[in-house]
Amino acid sequence: EPEVTQTPSHQVTQMGQEVILRCVPISNHLYFYWYRQILGQKVEFLVSFYNNEISEKSEIFDDQFSVERPDGSNFTLKIRSTKLEDSAMYFCASSENRASGANVLTFGAGSRLTVL
Amino acid sequence: SQQGEEDPQALSIQEGENATMNCSYKTSINNLQWYRQNSGRGLVHLILIRSNEREKHSGRLRVTLDTSKKSSSLLITASRAADTASYFCAPHFNDYKLSFGAGTTVTVRA
């Protein structure tokens, strides 16, 4: 079954450092998302991406965050200057299309970011 | 976008018993989806029910939808240890994204 793959599975970084989390969405999917989950809390939406641009972002997704689809397969989340409170599990997700009105998301296994 | 509110927050049942959890939401929807999250893992889509459907089955899962009450329920029959997870509903209209609430944490005791 097709899956969303994320790398790295775990990254430890020092506060203030830049981090790039990578995702390979399912190949025929058109919509891409990043979510995060701070330990013990709910899964929060960060950003959605379609047709090479951000379609929606939450208030969490401030100027320290950026997303990119550098080639036909990868989708990346960059955190420019990490803070302690960025420590969380980051999930990438993709979906096929919304034409039918359904938007079923397939999630990756997550990248755990620990900021020291 | 809207998120659902799951109830109860937590549920503990014996293996073989049924587990029922509910979801309430606030505005009109096209469909409502249920997802499962095993500890520390990504969410997995379980089932989607459209606004014009009242009940749907998938294996041991049964979902109902009452659009007049803006509520849905998820029933897991004959629960197994592997069903231990958090369950989330995601009401969906026309947004790009899905939003998730706090979920129902289900623990199945052997």
Side-chain angles (χ1 to χ4, degrees), chain A residues 33 35 37 56 98 103 105, chain B residues 35 37 94 96-98:
Chain A
Y33 311 82
Y35 287 79
Q37 186 176 34
E56 193 171 358
R98 295 169 56 244
N103 195 30
L105 270 59
Chain B
Y35 287 77
Q37 183 184 32
N94 274 335
Y96 286 104
K97 69 176 190 283
L98 294 182

Side-chain angles (χ1 to χ4, degrees), chain B:
Chain B
S1 174
Q2 60 172 316
Q3 66 186 43
E5 201 170 298
E6 296 89 353
D7 176 67
Q9 283 188 322
L11 188 53
S12 180
I13 55 173
Q14 203 74 30
E15 205 164 20
E17 292 181 340
N18 295 343
T20 300
M21 60 212 85
N22 303 297
C23 167
S24 59
Y25 58 92
K26 290 189 165 53
T27 64
S28 298
I29 58 170
N30 279 348
N31 65 71
L32 186 141
Q33 303 176 38
W34 285 90
Y35 287 77
R36 181 189 74 226
Q37 183 184 32
N38 292 92
S39 182
R41 307 291 292 174
L43 279 70
V44 174
H45 178 256
L46 295 176
I47 195 165
L48 178 151
I49 186 164
R50 298 187 186 277
S51 60
N52 61 354
E53 297 176 310
R54 291 296 166 256
E55 189 171 311
K56 200 157 180 186
H57 297 253
S58 175
R60 294 183 296 111
L61 305 179
R62 174 181 163 244
V63 167
T64 63
L65 179 64
D66 186 335
T67 52
S68 67
K69 294 181 180 174
K70 293 187 171 58
S71 68
S72 173
S73 69
L74 172 66
L75 167 69
I76 306 172
T77 60
S79 62
R80 305 167 181 168
D83 295 327
T84 293
S86 292
Y87 293 81
F88 302 88
C89 68
H92 183 240
F93 188 51
N94 274 335
D95 312 74
Y96 286 104
K97 69 176 190 283
L98 294 182
S99 295
F100 301 96
T104 293
T105 300
V106 175
T107 303
V108 181
R109 305 186 309 273

